[in-house]
């Protein structure tokens, strides 16, 4: 079974057990659970090249603190100089999230030079990484995985800094192809899910 791969590893089950599980009756509908066929949009591949490496069960306290620090930074006043503001945003984001940004190909991007550009990578992965590397953020962030995380970060327009950053990101990804946009969308969904779980952990304290 293919599960939420950023939290649990995939695993094998016997076909008989899978069949029996699908035949169990749902109490609300009175019908067998069955299965669902999900199809990707045309010309879109199910890549997860970059991902957020955050185990909220074992590191939730640390990650919640990181999220809170990022929110405090976003709420602060932005610098008047746009270039200096961009440098500050990038350096802050990399400092906070470098340990959580990962690349499927060889662990965390940045561990080895051009790790995402290795010859054995598929053309699609190569293309996605090229798009990420083409953005303005790569000038100030050394790891493509961290850049991808920033591009995918769900930002609320609650401050001048957040609004400006959201516009920069939108401009950076406007020319991405379908595969690269799909990658950013998958990463954004992962961030939203894990952030929501962290928020619940924080509230329950």
């Amino acid at each position: 079974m293919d599960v939420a791969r950023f939290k649990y590893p995939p695993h094998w089950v016997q076909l008989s057990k899978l069949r029996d599980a699908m035949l169990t009756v749902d109490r609300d509908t009175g019908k067998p659970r069955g299965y669902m066929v999900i199809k990707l949009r045309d010309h879109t591949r199910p890549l997860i090249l970059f991902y957020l490496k955050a185990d909220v069960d074992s590191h939730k306290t640390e990650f919640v603190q990181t999220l809170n620090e990022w929110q405090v930074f976003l709420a602060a006043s932005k610098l008047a100089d746009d270039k200096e503001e961009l440098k500050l945003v990038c350096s802050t984001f990399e400092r906070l999230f470098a340990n959580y940004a990962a690349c499927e190909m060889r662990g965390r991007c940045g561990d080895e030079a051009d790790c995402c550009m290795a010859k054995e990578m598929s053309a699609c992965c190569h293309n996605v990484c090229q798009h990420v590397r083409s953005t303005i953020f790569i000038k100030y962030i050394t790891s493509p995985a961290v850049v991808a995380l920033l591009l995918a970060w769900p930002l609320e327009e609650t401050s001048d800094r957040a609004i400006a950053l959201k516009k920069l990101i939108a401009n950076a990804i406007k020319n991405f192809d379908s595969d690269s946009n799909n990658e950013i969308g998958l990463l954004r969904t992962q961030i939203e899910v894990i952030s929501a779980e962290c928020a619940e952990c924080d509230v329950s304290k």
Side-chain angles (χ1 to χ4, degrees), residues 18-19 21-26 31-36:
L18 181 61
R19 179 203 60 204
M22 290 191 295
L23 289 175
T24 57
V25 177
D26 182 84
K31 297 180 180 180
R33 295 185 182 277
Y35 63 94
M36 179 182 295

Side-chain angles (χ1 to χ4, degrees), residues 112-151:
E112 298 180 29
D114 295 333
C115 71
C116 291
M117 307 301 289
K119 292 181 180 180
E120 64 269 20
M121 286 185 64
S122 70
C124 190
C125 289
H126 178 96
N127 178 59
V128 170
C129 197
Q130 282 282 60
H131 275 93
V132 170
R133 287 172 178 268
S134 71
T135 66
I136 190 173
F137 302 102
I138 203 68
K139 294 181 180 179
Y140 307 106
I141 297 176
T142 57
S143 165
V146 178
V147 174
L149 200 63
L150 179 58
L151 294 175

Side-chain angles (χ1 to χ4, degrees), residues 45-60:
R45 280 166 278 197
L47 277 181
I48 302 183
L49 177 60
F50 301 114
Y51 60 97
L52 179 63
K53 187 175 59 177
D55 184 342
V56 294
D57 292 326
S58 59
H59 304 299
K60 61 185 179 184

Side-chain angles (χ1 to χ4, degrees), residues 3-184:
V3 294
R5 62 181 297 181
F6 57 88
K7 294 178 65 177
Y8 309 105
H11 57 275
W12 294 95
V13 295
Q14 295 178 351
L15 284 176
S16 58
K17 290 185 177 180
L18 181 61
R19 179 203 60 204
D20 292 344
M22 290 191 295
L23 289 175
T24 57
V25 177
D26 182 84
R27 288 181 295 181
D28 294 330
T29 64
K31 297 180 180 180
R33 295 185 182 277
Y35 63 94
M36 179 182 295
V37 177
I38 300 175
K39 182 181 178 182
L40 284 170
R41 296 185 300 271
D42 291 339
H43 311 300
T44 300
R45 280 166 278 197
L47 277 181
I48 302 183
L49 177 60
F50 301 114
Y51 60 97
L52 179 63
K53 187 175 59 177
D55 184 342
V56 294
D57 292 326
S58 59
H59 304 299
K60 61 185 179 184
T61 301
E62 178 184 348
F63 193 64
V64 167
Q65 291 173 347
T66 301
L67 288 175
N68 289 340
E69 187 174 345
W70 175 240
Q71 291 303 322
V72 169
F73 172 78
L74 287 176
S77 300
K78 67 184 292 291
L79 302 180
D81 186 294
D82 290 341
K83 186 175 181 179
E84 292 302 315
E85 170 69 8
L86 178 58
K87 286 182 180 179
L88 179 60
V89 167
C90 289
S91 63
T92 301
F93 190 85
E94 186 166 32
R95 174 178 61 81
L96 292 173
F97 295 103
N99 289 333
Y100 298 105
C103 173
E104 182 68 20
M105 299 309 296
R106 291 188 184 178
R108 195 184 314 149
C109 276
D111 288 346
E112 298 180 29
D114 295 333
C115 71
C116 291
M117 307 301 289
K119 292 181 180 180
E120 64 269 20
M121 286 185 64
S122 70
C124 190
C125 289
H126 178 96
N127 178 59
V128 170
C129 197
Q130 282 282 60
H131 275 93
V132 170
R133 287 172 178 268
S134 71
T135 66
I136 190 173
F137 302 102
I138 203 68
K139 294 181 180 179
Y140 307 106
I141 297 176
T142 57
S143 165
V146 178
V147 174
L149 200 63
L150 179 58
L151 294 175
W153 203 269
L155 292 165
E156 296 182 5
E157 298 182 0
T158 54
S159 67
D160 290 341
R161 170 167 283 164
I163 292 171
L165 178 56
K166 190 172 183 177
K167 288 180 179 178
L168 277 176
I169 291 174
N171 187 61
I173 66 176
K174 67 181 181 181
N175 293 322
F176 277 19
D177 62 5
S178 59
D179 286 327
S180 300
N181 276 316
N182 181 59
E183 178 74 15
I184 296 302

